Amino acid sequence: MPIVTVRPAEPSDIDAITRIYADAVENGTASYELVAPDREEMKGRFDGLVSRGYPFFVAQEDNRVLGYAYAGPFRERPAYRFMVEDSIYIAPDAQGRGIGRRLMSALIEECRTLGFRQIAAVIGDGSPESASVRLHEALGFRHTGVLEGSGYKHGRWLDTTFMQLELNGGASKPPDPESSADKMFKRPR
């Protein structure tokens, strides 16, 4: 039985990441993009996150990338610097195998290590039955709101679900100004 490993993403993974995301854009409703970005755009997005120290992981089996997850700034305003937003995409033929849970578990742990206080999940087509909502619930995220009818794709209106996970004491104490989270935000873009 092949072994699935989760590891930090590398530039050599960009082609697979681009394919996985293209399928999500073209056939799914998790992303509200309507046209799949090309490899160059995806590389730019990857480089923009990784160069600033944000975590980006892939799940791999037999040298094939099956999915990826990353955290990036929730918003670019300085007061948000201790909060990240997660994104996760799994290849269609790899869904339902627990890969999402493994990727998200690694991502959550890395965000905790970096000193972030909150992870937001902004889930497109976030119906209660969606795999992403169920995954985030299973990992301890709580529901924080829904934007009803906020997207229109594939001929139907979609709700956007917001979920949140508290890390490192959340808002119960002041942030550590020496944390990686604070330093990452201050890095040049």
Side-chain angles (χ1 to χ4, degrees):
M1 178 111 168
I3 297 172
V4 175
T5 58
V6 173
R7 61 168 174 77
E10 301 170 354
S12 61
D13 300 320
I14 299 298
D15 288 337
I17 289 167
T18 301
R19 280 192 301 277
I20 291 166
Y21 189 63
D23 182 78
V25 169
E26 293 164 2
N27 300 307
T29 51
S31 168
Y32 282 13
E33 292 197 70
L34 300 176
V35 176
D38 63 16
R39 183 190 191 286
E40 183 177 327
E41 172 64 22
M42 292 300 286
K43 183 175 183 329
R45 293 177 188 187
F46 172 82
D47 289 344
L49 291 167
V50 173
S51 68
R52 291 170 62 191
Y54 288 99
F56 201 127
F57 292 98
V58 297
Q60 177 180 319
E61 178 182 71
D62 290 336
N63 295 317
R64 178 178 169 240
V65 172
L66 304 174
Y68 67 96
Y70 64 86
F74 175 67
R75 299 288 181 267
E76 290 290 343
R77 303 289 188 263
Y80 286 118
R81 70 191 175 277
F82 295 99
M83 182 173 191
V84 289
E85 180 179 337
D86 74 63
S87 290
I88 180 167
Y89 293 94
I90 308 297
D93 64 337
Q95 293 173 6
R97 296 178 45 196
I99 293 167
R101 177 183 283 274
R102 292 188 57 196
L103 279 165
M104 282 299 300
S105 295
L107 186 67
I108 290 166
E109 190 52 41
E110 185 64 13
C111 288
R112 183 175 283 116
T113 299
L114 291 169
F116 289 106
R117 294 303 186 87
Q118 307 285 340
I119 302 177
V122 181
I123 302 171
D125 195 12
S127 68
E129 302 82 32
S130 88
S132 188
V133 168
R134 290 192 323 265
L135 171 64
H136 283 84
E137 286 173 339
L139 293 169
F141 283 72
R142 63 185 173 84
H143 289 265
T144 54
V146 175
L147 299 175
E148 296 175 348
S150 54
Y152 188 80
K153 188 173 180 181
H154 300 307
R156 64 186 181 98
W157 288 103
L158 307 170
D159 294 345
T160 303
T161 296
F162 284 79
M163 299 180 77
Q164 187 171 337
L165 179 68
E166 184 178 281
L167 304 173
N168 297 317
S172 67
K173 59 184 180 179
D176 177 1
E178 296 302 314
S179 72
S180 294
D182 198 37
K183 292 174 184 173
M184 286 166 52
F185 193 86
K186 295 174 183 173
R187 286 189 185 151
R189 291 174 182 78

